[in-house]
Amino acid sequence: MRWFVLYARSRGVPLALAAILLSTTAFWALATLDGAPDQALSVLVLVAGTAFAAAGLAGQDVALDRIAAIRWPPRRAAHVLAIAVVVGSALLFLQNWGDPLSPAGVVLRDTFGLTGLTALGAALCGGQYAWTFPIGWFAFSLGVPMDTEVLSQVAGWLWQPPGTPAATAAALVLGIGGTLVYAACGNRR
């Protein structure tokens, strides 16, 4: 248990957890004041949550992480999956008290894809810039036309309705790929 507490503190998990819960609650309250469920707020909640957790994917000292006598890949993968669980379940939990912003399948799909993007960002650019990947994809996908072309469905997977095979495949590739790359390589210096 001591290792887990030290790891969580060194990665800023308490602060990230507080930011995730606060932002999720604030966006959910904003959606309930408006009265109409909006998928855009759901996506924004998930993007904000993964962005807040992104800094925790980098340790205090990358060189120390690399020479430690423990197996990092399983711990890194567990950290990424824990981010997905916390961010997704926070939104799903709050949706029980009002009109859901998005169906549960869409929340799970988007959470997994965004978390993989964040992990990929940590592996390629470092934890301090990992937040740019989910926010960048969010901004890019706002300009993607909503039509039935597969390329549009892949590029705009955040906005697709549940059961869209191309969007689900894109989120799975990003989620699994990002997690595997981060687990194998770790945070970039």
Side-chain angles (χ1 to χ4, degrees):
M1 185 66 157
R2 181 179 165 98
W3 179 89
F4 176 75
V5 171
L6 289 173
Y7 178 82
R9 287 180 57 200
S10 73
R11 300 294 174 129
V13 171
L15 183 61
L17 184 61
I20 289 167
L21 295 177
L22 184 65
S23 66
T24 303
T25 305
F27 282 123
W28 176 79
L30 181 65
T32 57
L33 288 177
D34 186 24
D38 189 6
Q39 184 180 359
L41 276 176
S42 170
V43 172
L44 194 57
V45 165
L46 299 176
V47 168
T50 55
F52 287 134
L57 293 175
Q60 298 296 323
D61 187 0
V62 176
L64 184 61
D65 283 357
R66 296 199 191 287
I67 63 168
I70 59 175
R71 293 184 42 193
W72 278 109
R75 287 172 174 82
R76 290 181 188 131
H79 190 155
V80 173
L81 295 177
I83 290 171
V85 167
V86 169
V87 171
S89 61
L91 179 60
L92 290 174
F93 178 74
L94 284 176
Q95 286 191 148
N96 288 328
W97 287 313
D99 292 331
L101 300 176
S102 288
V106 172
V107 171
L108 295 175
R109 178 194 70 200
D110 290 355
T111 302
F112 190 61
L114 287 168
T115 307
L117 266 174
T118 304
L120 187 63
L124 296 178
C125 298
Q128 68 272 25
Y129 300 115
W131 59 271
T132 60
F133 279 59
I135 290 176
W137 197 296
F138 171 75
F140 166 75
S141 68
L142 288 173
V144 174
M146 292 291 291
D147 55 24
T148 58
E149 288 188 34
V150 174
L151 188 58
S152 294
Q153 290 177 349
V154 168
W157 59 271
L158 285 169
W159 307 104
Q160 296 300 317
T164 306
T168 303
L172 284 174
V173 166
L174 289 170
I176 293 170
T179 302
L180 290 177
V181 168
Y182 175 73
C185 301
N187 178 47
R188 181 172 182 231
R189 290 182 192 231

